[in-house]
Structure formats: C-alpha cells, structure tokens
Amino acid sequence: MIRLILGLLLLGMLGLGALAAPWAQGWMGVDPFAPDLMARYGEASAAHPLGTDELGRDLLLRLLHGARVSLSVGLAVAVGATGLGTAIGLLAAWRGGWVDAVLMRVADGLLALPALPLLVVLAAVDTGRFGLPRGEAASDILRIVLILVAFGWVGTARLARAAALTQLSLDYVAAARVSGAGEGRVLLRHVLPNIAGPIGVAAALAVAGAILAESTLSFLGLGIQPPAPSWGNMLSNAQEMVFSAPLQAVWPGLCILLAVAGCTLVADGLRRR
Amino acid sequence: MPGLLAGRLVQIGVVLALLSVLTWLAMGLMPGDPVELALSADPRLTAEDAARLRALHGLDQPLWGRYLAWAAAVLRGEFGFSRLYAVPVTEVLWPALRSTLVLLGWSLLLSAGLGIGLGVLGAVRRGAGVLADGVALLAQSLPGFWLGILLIILFAVELGWLPAGGMAEGWGLAEGARFLALPVATLAFVNIAAYARHSLSAMREEMAQPYIRTARMKGLPERQVIWGHAFPNAAIPVVTVAALDAGSLVSGALVTETIFARPGMGKLIYDSIMGNDYNLALLALLLAALVTMLATLAADIVQRIIDPRLAA
C-alpha cells in the first residue's frame, strides 16, 4: 500500500509539473524555446531556479515541457500496447488452434530479439513518405508511440492469454454460455474484468518501459528531435558538455528516474494489493 | 534434448530469415541511397553518372530482387563490403563482436553475482530485504545512459581516475581493465534489478519450505542449509531470468557502447544505420540477434540440466 501511494505521489507530482508548464512559463516570464546567448550556462538564480543550458534557455521550464512529452509518450504507449496486447491475448486464448500458435510464435520471436537495435532501425525509417515529417514534435511523438506499441504488446499478450485461458476453463464461463450469452459478451463482460488485475500491473510497467525507451531513443538522436525538449534529448545535449557543465546532465536523468520509479512502485503496489 | 535443440535451431533460423526481410524493407524506407551520398560528396557527378552507378550496383532493381540477390550471396558465405569503412564486412564485424562479448561477459558475471548475492542476503537476513528491494527498484528505474554519464562525470571529469571512453590501445591487461571498468559498471548495475528481484522472491519461497526445517533440524549449519539446499532450487527461476534477459543485455550494450565510444556491435549497428551502410547494418543486426538467441538457448539448456523435471 505504501508503494502504491508513494508511486502515485511521484507520478502525480511530475504530472502536475507537466500540466503546469505553460502557466509556470507565463508566471516566470521566460520563454524556454528562445535562445538567450548572453545567459548561457547560467548558474541557479532567482530568474532561473535550475540555471540555463548551452543556449541560455531556462532548464526548469524545459524540464517541465519535457515532462509533457515523456509522460504523454509513456501513457499513449501503455494504452496502445496494453489494448493491443489484451486483444491479441484474448483472441489467442479464445480461438486456440493455429491462431494461438501463430500469434504466440510471433510473440516468442519478438521477445527473443534484442529490442533496442531493432528500435534504432525502425526509428531511422523515413516516415516522411507516410505523411509523418521528421523534426515536427507531433509527428515525432506519433512515430515513437507507433514503434514502441509495435514492440510493447508482447508481454501483455502472453499475460492476457495465460490469464484468459484459466478463466475460460472455469464454470462461470460455461454457465454464461449456457444461459445464452454471445461469445463477445462472454469475453468482454465476463473474462475481461477477471483478468484486469494482472493487466493493470502490466500496463503500469509498460508506462515505465515506454518512458525509458523513448528517452533512450531520444538520447541516441532518433526520438523526439530538438528544439522540442524531451528528457532524453536534453541528456544527449548534456553529454557533450560533461566537462563544461556537468550539472546539466543531472536533472533530466533524475526526472526519468523518478517517473520510472513511480510507475514501478505503482505496479508493485497493485500486484501486492 | 536433441529434439529441443533441433527445434530451437530451426526457430532461430526462421526468426533470422524473417528479421532480414523486414529489416531490408525498413532500410529501403530510410532516406538516401549510396548514390545520393556519392552525389552530395562529388559535385562533378552528372545525372548520367548517377544512373550508371545505380545500374552498376543494382540499385535500379526492385527491392525484392536486391534482397534475393543479397540473401543468396550471404548463404554462399559472401558477406560483401562495408561502405562506411571500405573494408570487407567481416573485418569490422569480428573485432566488434569480440569487444562486445567481453563487455557482455563481465557485465553478466557482475550483475548475476551481485544480484543473486543481494537477493539471497535479502531473503535470509531480516532487514536486508529492504536493501535488496531498494537496490532493485533503483537499478530498474535508472536509465542506463544516465548512469553512464554520471559515472563519466564522477570518475573521468571530477576525479580523473578512469578514461571517459574509447578502447585500450595495446594488449595490457591493466590498461584494458581501466577502459572496461565504467562500461561494465554501467551495464551491470542496470541488469542487477531482475536478478535481485527474482532471487529474492525465489529464495524467500524456498526458505519457507518444510525441507528447510528438516535440514535445520538434522543439525546442518545454516550456510549449508542456504547454499546446499535452498539455493539450488531457487536457482531455477533465476536462470529463466537470465534467458529472458539476454535481449535487454544486448540492448544495453548498444547504449553503453555509444556513451563510452567503445567500438563494438552496438556502436557498429548505430553508426552503420546512421551512415546508410545497409549491408553492414543488416549483418551486424542479424549477428546481434543470433548472439541473443544463442544465449537464451544456452540458458534454457542449463535450466534443463539443473532441473531434471524439465528434461523429461
């Protein structure tokens, strides 16, 4: 219970920060996107609580704007991957036979591969051909979300399949069928609520995984492109300046750490409840 | 066992074949082909030259035709050239593979050793459980690349004890260890989480079993109860973790090598994709996937050896 509360508290804090970014910007009266070359590498001060980066932009505001990107990517991937995974898992458990075999072999194959090199390959694809120009924040986010969903459904699908197989063999399912419920109703109204627990845990872990994966890709320069701030690409800037401004590398990483730890705590809390 | 081995090797072959097709298609969608790069490098090239070059290298063929030609060559054992490094692909692949295997080997040893030690300690000592849980949570939440940067700041920038990146020039063991220390620490720490968590819960479960009480009652020293009785049983799920974790270890190596500028498979894949060196990228990717799947297979075989129930 302590874990759940602690995790929700952490995520709530970061979420509030993300929501408050535009107001904080208006209140502090600084534009985190406009370079100010006279204020480069600024120390922490009243005007810039965490100092400024190599272009004189306020670090705190960029972190808050980065939170919007990182958290929304995490949430969107978790929703997409959990939805897709649950659907595939249910389908495999319910249909059985060759459908089950094919879906699970695909899942096995994806699980057996090292994910990051494949993500790098996919992230380097020229999405401009599909109407998703690179370098625009919105289409970058969409591209990353799609890629991470394509890899993220596997764990949830296996979990949902195993849980659904157990439920489908129970008497209440037979009772529902005998009393005339259609297969769709059996799956959605009877089986799905009963496997929601483990799926909820998997979803919380999926948010954590997605935030880590997005920041890693952005760090490698393949995710969210600057000037839009994300915690990952702020770190990739900071690495080039470890000798001149080492503190800049601390804050974005700390944000990622707190967000991922928050999700993991929530998942742990849900599991033990 | 031979049946399992044959089945798994077939599966690995199928996955590699599918992966090569999908990657080939994905690479067809990446911006810029080698001729375009040549055009931007040399302004004297004309449109006719470009067309001639495309025909010479088969780039005017459809994607499928090029894939089949490439696959046939690879199956004959002709791996072709790297465009980026202008040498045969095998000349860059093998040194990179060796460097990555060294990194992976030490990291695996360190993370499994520390993680299992922490998990066992957490299960048998009251109070150490919180420590094991805490370290596992931290390791799981810490982005590997951030830890790498922090270690560079601390040990290379502030203290100046260790190099910030690169590879040892000579063959000296001590020199090589200096360059390995930070990358191995980075990669190992992130992977401690899974080992600590699973050995903690597995050991807790085993220590509550009746046979542990029996072993204690017949007067065995606690050390033998833990390592001789409980641990071998708890090791089974931990080996499963090792099998499942092979992929994340290889993924971690990519990031770690990029941060520390270590020439290895990870950096090779990244650089070759960024540099439009499709042949090298594809072969390096397939090799990384093959290493991962063989590692998983090895862990599965070890699991069958230590757990006779699975072998049946």
Side-chain angles (χ1 to χ4, degrees), chain A residues 5 11 14 16 22 45 48 56 76 148 162 180 206 214 218 233 236 254 265 269:
Chain A
I5 294 172
L11 291 181
L14 292 168
L16 270 182
S45 64
H48 303 289
L148 292 182
E214 180 272 320
S218 296
N233 71 27
S236 118
L254 197 63
L265 283 170

Side-chain angles (χ1 to χ4, degrees), chain B residues 290-303:
Chain B
L290 179 66
V291 167
T292 312
M293 288 190 286
L294 287 180
T296 310
L297 181 58
D300 281 350
I301 291 173
V302 169
Q303 191 173 26

Side-chain angles (χ1 to χ4, degrees), chain B residues 78-99:
Chain B
E78 296 164 17
F79 295 107
F81 284 81
S82 154
R83 203 189 55 73
L84 200 60
Y85 299 97
V87 290
V89 161
T90 44
E91 263 180 44
V92 256
L93 269 184
W94 298 134
L97 181 64
R98 208 187 47 209
S99 146

Side-chain angles (χ1 to χ4, degrees), chain A residues 133-160:
Chain A
R134 291 178 81 85
E136 257 174 50
S139 78
D140 272 347
I141 291 177
L142 186 59
R143 180 169 55 92
I144 294 300
V145 168
L146 288 179
I147 292 174
L148 292 182
V149 167
F151 276 88
W153 60 270
V154 182
T156 319
R158 288 166 68 105
L159 222 129

Side-chain angles (χ1 to χ4, degrees), chain B residues 117-209:
Chain B
L118 207 59
V120 171
L121 189 72
V124 300
R125 283 269 157 75
R126 209 173 287 279
V130 181
L131 175 77
D133 265 341
V135 173
L137 177 65
L138 185 66
Q140 196 171 22
S141 313
L142 208 63
F145 53 94
W146 187 51
L147 178 62
I149 297 176
L150 291 185
L151 289 178
I152 291 179
I153 291 177
L154 182 61
F155 288 103
V157 179
E158 299 293 333
L159 297 173
W161 290 351
L162 294 166
M167 280 276 264
E169 294 279 326
W171 282 99
L173 211 57
E175 194 59 14
R178 266 167 51 82
F179 279 89
L180 254 178
L182 291 184
V184 166
T186 305
L187 190 51
F189 187 73
V190 176
N191 280 286
I192 280 181
Y195 291 103
R197 286 187 143 211
H198 285 86
S199 54
L200 183 63
S201 69
M203 272 305 272
R204 273 190 180 143
E205 209 168 285
E206 294 304 327
M207 291 304 280
Q209 297 285 328

Side-chain angles (χ1 to χ4, degrees), chain A residues 3 112-118 121 124-126 215-216 219-220 222 235 239 246 249-250 253-254 256 260-261 264 268, chain B residues 19 26 28-31 133 137 140-143 145-146 149 153 157 197 250-251 255 258-259 270 273-274 285 289 292-293:
Chain A
R3 288 163 189 262
L113 294 171
L116 192 61
L118 292 177
V121 172
V125 166
D126 180 12
S215 62
T216 306
F219 174 73
L220 291 174
L222 292 162
L235 268 177
Q239 196 202 350
V250 173
L254 197 63
I256 301 172
V260 176
T264 313
D268 269 4
Chain B
L19 181 63
L29 293 171
M30 285 179 199
D133 265 341
L137 177 65
Q140 196 171 22
S141 313
L142 208 63
F145 53 94
W146 187 51
I149 297 176
I153 291 177
V157 179
R197 286 187 143 211
V250 173
S251 291
V255 186
T258 311
I259 303 169
Y270 180 74
I273 286 172
M274 293 295 108
L285 188 70
T292 312
M293 288 190 286

Side-chain angles (χ1 to χ4, degrees), chain B residues 261-292:
Chain B
R262 260 184 89 77
M265 294 298 293
K267 198 168 171 344
L268 199 63
I269 291 175
Y270 180 74
D271 287 347
S272 56
I273 286 172
M274 293 295 108
N276 279 330
D277 192 345
Y278 302 143
N279 190 34
L280 179 59
L282 190 44
L283 286 170
L285 188 70
L286 291 178
L287 188 58
L290 179 66
V291 167
T292 312

